[in-house]
Amino acid sequence: SCFHAGIYRTEKDKGTLYELTFKGDTKHQFKKIVLFRPFGPVMKVKNENVNMADTLINVIVPLAKRASKFRQFMQNFRWVSISVLPLIHLTVVYFGKEQMNEVKSILENTSKSANFKNFTFIQLNEEFSRGKGLDVGARFWKGNNVVLFFCDVDIYFTAEFLNSCRLNTQPGKKVFYPVLFSQYNPSIIYGHRDSIPSLEQQLIIKKETGFWRDFGFGMTCQYRSDFINIGGFDLDIKGWGGEDVHLYRKYLHSNLIVIRTPVRGLFHLWHEKQCLDELTPEQYKMCMQSKAMNEASHGQLGMLVFKQEIETHLHRQKLSSKKT
């Protein structure tokens, strides 16, 4: 019951390293056991107590318009923040002025109702760029070194995920790239709109409801010092996609360890994706591939593609049964 999480990685020329984390005596204390299995018997490498009571996470969300999505995001954020205060800060980097007052109002009302004051609102009068927003949010922080969680407005996360975020990052040593679970289109999964369950009931990890988004690198936890030292995002990349992969590759070629593993408390909520004409051919292709992956499983999409053939077959079966 005290087991929190476990990850492992295999060093091709050495063996397998296991990191097992257990809950401690208090909410913010954990025990971490590191085991190394060379190509032979298991060896204990480390057994230590980990105290996360002073580890603050700065959740950075870039945004333009999408006020209704932000309201949904803040409903979840409010419940999560209550359980982890004061170890969480929210930074919203907003592009443009359209719907800005509505977004600020949602943020301020949530702050009052939840007694949550750890937030920063930054407004930029320019075209939306996810990489630019995250970069500005990260560099705006003036406090001590902090864990940055780069997040999108259509992401649902739990307090347990934030613990994983803290436990799998270490300044100068480790950055965390979780594999999140991405929802399929609820209208395809559950059929008629009236039969779609509530959001909380949709957050079930099953192959019929979504997939592990192992090609996405946008949601990540890393210390601000590592982000600054690595050079941040490539701000020449405009529009959708590309900036997150570029940052990920920089970490892969650095001396830091990149932790890449599926996590159960991080969900990408389905939303209709639009691929704009002004994207480069490579970006447009990536966007369309992502759009196709988000709709449904291969089997579910196949049932839609071959719907006419299935209906024709059923009709023939009915005619055949009537004749007999």
Side-chain angles (χ1 to χ4, degrees):
S1 62
C2 63
F3 179 72
H4 173 71
I7 61 174
Y8 73 93
R9 68 178 183 275
T10 300
E11 304 282 348
K12 293 181 180 180
D13 58 340
K14 299 182 181 68
T16 304
L17 191 73
Y18 301 86
E19 293 189 14
L20 307 177
T21 306
F22 300 85
K23 296 177 182 177
D25 297 331
T26 64
K27 183 167 66 171
H28 300 299
Q29 285 189 332
F30 296 85
K31 172 171 266 188
K32 179 178 288 187
I33 298 177
V34 180
L35 303 173
F36 179 66
R37 183 176 186 177
F39 297 116
V42 175
M43 297 169 53
K44 181 187 285 189
V45 176
K46 187 187 297 184
N47 188 345
E48 63 177 347
N49 292 319
V50 182
N51 191 342
M52 295 283 130
D54 297 322
T55 306
L56 178 68
I57 294 181
N58 185 4
V59 182
I60 303 179
V61 180
L63 186 65
K65 305 176 185 177
R66 305 186 72 186
S68 60
K69 282 289 184 182
F70 184 70
R71 179 177 285 106
Q72 182 185 63
F73 175 86
M74 289 305 299
Q75 287 174 353
N76 171 56
F77 185 88
R78 174 185 176 181
W79 292 113
V80 172
S81 65
I82 288 174
S83 65
V84 297
L85 281 174
L87 300 178
I88 189 169
H89 188 96
L90 175 64
T91 299
V92 177
V93 182
Y94 196 85
F95 289 80
K97 295 183 178 179
E98 187 176 352
Q99 298 185 21
M100 182 187 72
N101 290 334
E102 187 176 353
V103 167
K104 287 184 70 175
S105 177
I106 294 169
L107 186 58
E108 290 167 357
N109 289 338
T110 303
S111 171
K112 292 177 182 177
S113 62
N115 194 25
F116 175 77
K117 300 179 181 179
N118 298 349
F119 70 89
T120 301
F121 186 87
I122 304 169
Q123 195 261 336
L124 301 178
N125 288 318
E126 53 187 271
E127 185 180 353
F128 178 81
S129 168
R130 183 178 185 273
K132 176 67 177 292
L134 295 172
D135 202 90
V136 167
R139 296 178 188 276
F140 190 84
W141 180 260
K142 304 303 180 186
N144 296 330
N145 200 11
V146 65
V147 177
L148 305 175
F149 171 36
F150 294 149
C151 187
D152 288 340
V153 72
D154 47 25
I155 295 297
Y156 181 102
F157 60 89
T158 65
E160 283 300 299
F161 164 74
L162 295 180
N163 283 331
S164 298
C165 189
R166 294 184 179 95
L167 290 165
N168 289 304
T169 52
Q170 191 173 353
K173 293 186 177 180
K174 293 191 295 186
V175 295
F176 185 38
Y177 275 84
V179 178
L180 53 77
F181 191 78
S182 191
Q183 275 188 324
Y184 287 140
N185 187 341
S187 63
I188 295 178
I189 304 305
Y190 301 102
H192 195 270
R193 181 175 294 274
D194 294 338
S195 63
I196 297 177
S198 66
L199 175 60
E200 287 72 21
Q201 293 174 312
Q202 293 179 39
L203 301 177
I204 300 173
I205 298 177
K206 295 170 58 178
K207 64 179 181 179
E208 296 84 7
T209 60
F211 65 100
W212 291 108
R213 201 180 186 89
D214 56 2
F215 58 87
F217 302 92
M219 297 335 111
T220 173
C221 302
Q222 54 201 255
Y223 271 87
R224 182 180 181 274
S225 58
D226 293 326
F227 177 78
I228 299 298
N229 291 337
I230 205 79
F233 287 105
D234 182 353
L235 300 184
D236 291 331
I237 299 175
K238 305 296 182 183
W240 185 93
E243 80 289 333
D244 51 354
V245 177
H246 185 265
L247 180 65
Y248 176 72
R249 287 174 178 168
K250 286 203 291 187
Y251 278 122
L252 286 180
H253 291 92
S254 73
N255 293 324
L256 278 71
I257 296 173
V258 177
I259 306 295
R260 178 78 168 154
T261 184
V263 291
R264 300 184 64 85
L266 188 63
F267 294 86
H268 178 265
L269 305 180
W270 183 86
H271 61 89
E272 188 173 357
K273 185 179 291 293
Q274 294 182 340
C275 300
L276 304 177
D277 290 337
E278 55 262 32
L279 295 175
T280 66
E282 183 179 356
Q283 286 178 320
Y284 190 83
K285 183 179 178 181
M286 289 170 59
C287 186
M288 290 300 292
Q289 288 174 338
S290 178
K291 182 175 182 178
M293 288 284 291
N294 280 333
E295 288 300 306
S297 67
H298 286 171
Q300 291 162 332
L301 288 176
M303 295 296 286
L304 294 176
V305 171
F306 301 116
K307 182 179 179 180
Q308 186 62 48
E309 293 183 35
I310 295 170
E311 291 178 350
T312 301
H313 173 75
L314 293 175
H315 180 66
R316 287 173 180 168
Q317 289 287 320
K318 288 181 180 179
L319 292 177
S320 177
S321 61
K322 285 180 180 180
K323 289 180 181 179
T324 57

